Amino acid sequence: MALGFLAEGPAHGYELFRRFKTSLGGLWRISESQFYATLKRIEARGLAGPAGPAGEARAAGAPADEISRGGVPPPRVLSLSAEGRALFEAWLAEPTASSSRLLHLEFLARLHFLTRLRPEAVIAAAEAQARALAGDIARLETVLPAMSHADRAALDIGAQSAAFRLSQLRAALAWIEGSVLPACAAAFSGSSRA
């Protein structure tokens, strides 16, 4: 997620955390210290780095006297590296794994960033996610009939696990088709599709 906020433009850590809290804070639960630790890991992996010549670029809209007040150094402004941008773009382009938890967190975060950065790609991303889910459902539906009737009728953990997963995937697909896609179509019907 931090890469997505950096894709919107360079910013210092507090600004990035503020963006997170105001836009995705209700979806993801991350403390400020966890967010800063994530930024440090991103920077250590070379996915982001200091903006400007010495990483001391002023944050957009911050008054110069506020930055230098009290001898405190200005906040470090980070920007995406080429590697960070490539990783973020790859993440945007791929459907989320078929897991109800990941669909709730990751797919909705992906839609958030697509809406802000590439609105023309939102409908295509939702359609791709629906196709990925439909494919996983089809694969599971071939596994369940292959199980013996006794396994499916008894409390066979493998059979019950497959049945549970299948019901979750069907519910997720119904949600995307019945809620997400119509909302995307209403919001972005005038956009050209990617």
Side-chain angles (χ1 to χ4, degrees), residues 130-144:
R131 283 191 303 277
L133 279 168
D136 287 344
I137 289 168
R139 281 185 286 284
L140 267 176
E141 286 174 337
T142 62
V143 170
L144 278 178

Side-chain angles (χ1 to χ4, degrees), residues 3-193:
L3 293 179
F5 292 115
L6 283 169
E8 295 176 343
H12 56 79
Y14 179 75
E15 172 61 21
L16 293 168
F17 185 70
R18 187 193 64 74
R19 287 184 203 169
F20 160 74
K21 289 300 279 182
T22 59
S23 59
L24 294 176
L27 182 63
W28 290 79
R29 303 280 184 227
I30 298 174
S31 70
E32 193 169 356
S33 62
Q34 289 172 314
F35 191 85
Y36 282 112
T38 299
L39 288 177
K40 284 182 182 182
R41 284 192 302 274
I42 286 171
E43 197 170 358
R45 287 183 56 198
L47 302 175
E56 298 174 356
R58 236 178 66 209
D65 61 338
E66 185 178 300
I67 298 294
S68 60
R69 184 177 52 213
V72 175
R76 290 186 68 234
V77 176
L78 298 175
S79 64
L80 276 182
S81 68
E83 184 182 354
R85 185 162 303 281
L87 184 65
F88 176 69
E89 291 294 330
W91 177 78
L92 273 182
E94 67 185 27
T96 298
S98 294
S99 151
S100 58
R101 181 177 185 277
L102 288 177
L103 286 166
H104 175 247
L105 297 173
E106 196 176 292
F107 174 63
L108 288 175
R110 183 176 284 114
L111 286 182
H112 167 78
F113 289 115
L114 283 170
T115 298
R116 295 174 61 88
L117 299 170
R118 281 193 298 195
E120 73 281 358
V122 171
I123 294 172
E127 289 171 341
Q129 188 65 60
R131 283 191 303 277
L133 279 168
D136 287 344
I137 289 168
R139 281 185 286 284
L140 267 176
E141 286 174 337
T142 62
V143 170
L144 278 178
M147 293 181 180
S148 73
H149 180 68
D151 285 344
R152 284 185 275 133
L155 189 56
D156 178 86
I157 298 305
Q160 295 305 322
S161 175
F164 179 76
R165 180 159 163 69
L166 183 58
S167 67
Q168 283 187 319
L169 295 181
R170 285 178 178 155
L173 182 58
W175 164 66
I176 289 174
E177 292 176 338
S179 181
V180 174
L181 278 168
C184 290
F188 301 106
S189 61
S191 298
S192 63
R193 291 163 91 178

